[in-house]
Amino acid sequence: MNDVESLLEAQTTALLRRLGREQESRTRHIRDEAATQAADIVRRARVEARTRVHQAVVDTRREDEMALARRRAALDTQARRSRQATLRELLDRAWQALPAALQSRWLDATARERWCDAACMSASRSLRHLDRLQVEVDPQWLAHVGPLIRSRLEGPSKVDVTSSAGLGAGLRIRAGDACIDATVAGLLAARERIASELLAEFERQAAARRAERTR
């Protein structure tokens, strides 16, 4: 081998070694970049997975809360309707029982006197400015109620107590066109007011029962 061949072989060997080093460097660089990219992909995938899981939990919780709210609203509506139906039933039963209850009170002498006193007090407040009062009483009660009414109303006004067939329990006190109707029908005429008072009484009794149960 001459000098030229030796030189060419040395240069070729050096070139091959340099190419090998460059190839190894590029391979290592490509491998490092691939590893970095893979790590980034894994990290982003984990972040996205955690985000999706968190969002799924939030969505599930929101759906559960909405379902619970709907159920609670449905139960509240059902309870309200049930309460209204119960109150309506109580009112209907009360309205059916009131005429007989009032009739029973009128048959009791003490209660009848208080009934007449209340009617006379109402007349005294609103009708006594007129000189003449006319009181209507059922014929069967005229002898019992007439003297009581006169004792309560006579004074500045002249009081005429007359019988009115079919009037039943109670009395009417008239002065001109004005009238205090204290008959059973007259007392029950203010239906809305009586219904309000009955509802208030139902609520009071219900509250008393609740308080009793908590003791």
Side-chain angles (χ1 to χ4, degrees), residues 15-197:
L15 180 60
L16 290 174
R17 289 176 180 174
R18 188 178 68 182
L19 289 174
R21 288 195 299 271
E22 290 179 354
Q23 183 177 5
E24 183 181 352
S25 177
R26 285 196 299 269
T27 300
R28 186 170 52 253
H29 178 71
I30 292 172
R31 187 171 54 250
D32 292 343
E33 285 186 347
T36 301
Q37 291 176 359
D40 290 341
I41 292 172
V42 171
R43 184 171 55 255
R44 288 196 299 269
R46 289 176 177 173
V47 171
E48 291 175 359
R50 285 195 296 269
T51 302
R52 286 195 297 271
V53 170
H54 175 73
Q55 188 61 45
V57 171
V58 171
D59 292 342
T60 301
R61 185 177 300 166
R62 183 183 301 111
E63 291 175 358
D64 290 343
E65 290 175 351
M66 292 175 63
L68 181 61
R70 288 193 297 269
R71 180 58 178 166
R72 186 180 294 112
L75 291 175
D76 290 344
T77 299
Q78 182 179 356
R80 185 167 57 254
R81 289 176 178 172
S82 177
R83 180 175 178 275
Q84 290 173 347
T86 299
L87 290 176
R88 174 51 56 190
E89 181 182 357
L90 289 173
L91 281 176
D92 291 341
R93 289 164 55 187
W95 275 112
Q96 294 174 3
L98 272 175
L102 290 172
Q103 181 71 29
S104 177
R105 289 186 65 82
W106 179 259
L107 295 176
D108 179 79
T110 302
R112 182 168 62 249
E113 182 174 349
R114 289 200 297 266
W115 188 324
C116 292
D117 286 343
C120 291
M121 289 178 60
S122 179
S124 298
R125 288 193 298 267
S126 57
L127 302 179
R128 287 298 294 271
H129 62 285
L130 299 177
D131 295 334
R132 189 180 188 87
L133 299 177
Q134 181 179 351
V135 181
E136 300 175 6
V137 182
D138 193 277
Q140 64 175 318
W141 302 108
L142 186 61
H144 300 84
V145 174
L148 176 63
I149 297 300
R150 289 190 179 92
S151 68
R152 300 296 193 272
L153 292 178
E154 282 186 339
S157 299
K158 178 176 175 56
V159 180
D160 293 329
V161 182
T162 61
S163 64
S164 178
L167 195 67
L171 64 154
R172 288 195 191 100
I173 305 175
R174 299 182 184 275
D177 295 331
C179 177
I180 300 295
D181 191 346
T183 63
V184 171
L187 293 174
L188 296 179
R191 190 176 181 91
E192 291 185 0
R193 179 181 60 79
I194 295 173
S196 297
E197 293 178 356

